[in-house]
Amino acid sequence: MILVTGATGFIGSHLVERLVAQGRPMRCLVRRSSTAGNLPRTIELAHGDLESGAGLTEALRGVDTVIHLAGVTKASTAADYDLGNAVATANLLRDAGHLDEINRFVHVSSLAAAGPSTADRPLTETDEPRPVSHYGRSKLAGEQAVRQSPLAGRTIVVRPPVVYGPRDKDVYRMLRTVSRGWMAQIGAAPRRFSHIYVGDLVDGIIAAADCTNPSAVGHVFYLANAAPVSWDEFGGVAARLMRRKLRTVAIPEKAAYVLGLCAEWGSRLSGKPGILSRDKVREACCAGWVCDPGRARRELGFCAPMGLEEGLRRTLDWYKEAGWLQF
């Protein structure tokens, strides 16, 4: 029995579909207030709350594998990030750590926990983490909770970079502007980043859950396509697929911080955290966000084969069919 947290989210919904297709017994942890309508009706649901710890003992009953995807990617305060990523993970580990029948705990973290790369060298798992945002620090705190848990010797931590694909709402915002013929870029310097198509990421998460290589257990892995790109290249491929002529608008870094601050004020007024903030601008101004996926290939037997053009084609086709984009 596999317990999945974060099943109603972008990555989680794709993971659940793949596990269902493979015929695996599965239970999804959801809040009572959550909309679980996008989950197949055949899936067993467990109601609980990671932030308070309510319902976790019952949710873990009879489980031998945990895939922990749930987390907070947008929040108004550092405390909210910490609650959704660090405290929630620690609560789940507290209850799971007492269960001998749990053989594998896969913790889905983020490249943000490691921090940025330099412009000329990708990050490896041996590099000391240096997160630059509240989000990154909260994800690193979640990893630290894993290492301090009794389950540490049965855990694999994976750090995805930028994830894109059908149903995503973050990269979609950029693709929506590209569909209108323009794209914003902070500063003039091209900055490269690692990426992964959601279907490949799901395969990597399952590879971590199924891994029998003892040298892999207890370690961190980057799951990414081997070919990093710049946002110019990413937007250019999308524009070509949508038959758009792309115009890039460069926003000075100082102006971007002002926009981030204004967005934060707007979020406080609305009570809804948005995608833009000074934290996100700080991440965007870094020299690069490139990681080396070689260790995952060697120890998990995983590589991300989906090329950018084909991955974007599938993504854009889904957006078009769903009515999110017109081109």
Side-chain angles (χ1 to χ4, degrees):
M1 173 66 74
I2 301 172
L3 177 69
V4 177
T5 73
T8 59
F10 161 49
I11 299 169
S13 65
H14 286 273
L15 174 64
V16 166
E17 284 182 358
R18 187 69 53 83
L19 293 173
V20 168
Q22 293 176 352
R24 302 200 187 196
M26 178 180 21
R27 180 182 301 148
C28 295
L29 178 69
V30 297
R31 288 191 179 101
R32 290 194 179 275
S33 60
S34 173
T35 302
N38 63 331
L39 296 177
R41 294 184 179 180
T42 55
I43 292 177
E44 181 183 343
L45 299 181
H47 292 101
D49 186 274
L50 288 165
E51 295 178 1
S52 67
L56 299 187
T57 300
E58 185 60 32
L60 288 160
R61 196 177 307 278
V63 167
D64 57 36
T65 299
V66 177
I67 300 177
H68 179 41
L69 259 168
V72 171
T73 59
K74 294 183 285 292
S76 299
T77 66
D80 288 341
Y81 276 119
D82 190 61
L83 180 62
N85 293 327
V87 174
T89 300
N91 285 341
L92 182 60
L93 287 164
R94 180 197 62 213
D95 283 28
H98 301 300
L99 303 175
D100 292 335
E101 59 267 32
I102 294 181
N103 298 315
R104 178 61 41 78
F105 189 105
V106 178
H107 176 60
V108 182
S109 183
S110 169
L111 176 57
S117 65
T118 60
D120 58 355
R121 178 184 173 275
L123 291 171
T124 68
E125 291 85 352
T126 59
D127 290 319
E128 182 181 352
R130 292 185 174 88
V132 296
S133 64
H134 294 316
Y135 171 66
R137 286 186 285 272
S138 70
K139 295 299 283 187
L140 182 60
E143 292 184 14
Q144 291 166 342
V146 169
R147 284 190 284 274
Q148 295 165 4
S149 164
L151 282 177
R154 290 172 270 170
T155 298
I156 291 178
V157 176
V158 297
R159 290 175 178 164
V162 172
V163 186
Y164 70 99
R167 301 181 208 138
D168 166 62
K169 295 180 181 178
D170 291 338
V171 176
Y172 160 71
R173 289 179 170 85
M174 186 272 280
L175 295 174
R176 183 175 58 187
T177 66
V178 172
S179 73
R180 297 167 181 168
W182 68 280
M183 184 179 74
Q185 175 179 297
I186 298 176
R191 295 178 173 94
R192 301 184 73 75
F193 65 94
S194 292
H195 57 90
I196 188 167
Y197 180 70
V198 66
D200 285 350
L201 176 56
V202 163
D203 289 340
I205 292 170
I206 294 174
D210 292 344
C211 180
T212 58
N213 180 359
S215 67
V217 181
H219 294 294
V220 175
F221 294 89
Y222 290 120
L223 304 184
N225 189 276
V229 296
S230 68
W231 284 111
D232 267 348
E233 293 167 337
F234 193 92
V237 172
R240 186 174 70 251
L241 291 171
M242 289 187 279
R243 299 179 181 178
R244 294 288 188 268
K245 185 176 181 180
L246 185 63
R247 182 169 62 94
T248 301
V249 178
I251 302 174
E253 291 184 9
K254 289 183 179 179
Y257 276 108
V258 172
L259 290 173
L261 178 59
C262 293
E264 289 174 25
W265 288 341
S267 295
R268 290 191 183 100
L269 289 173
S270 68
K272 297 179 181 179
I275 189 66
L276 181 60
S277 66
R278 284 173 294 176
D279 236 22
K280 297 301 182 185
V281 172
R282 190 175 298 111
E283 290 182 335
C285 289
C286 293
W289 287 92
V290 179
C291 58
D292 181 354
R295 186 177 189 176
R297 183 181 63 253
R298 295 188 301 271
E299 298 186 22
L300 297 181
F302 168 76
C303 68
M306 183 68 69
L308 180 61
E309 182 160 346
E310 180 59 26
L312 277 175
R313 179 180 288 111
R314 296 186 186 190
T315 302
L316 292 170
D317 285 348
W318 186 91
Y319 288 148
K320 187 175 183 179
E321 185 176 342
W324 290 23
L325 289 179
Q326 294 181 354
F327 56 90

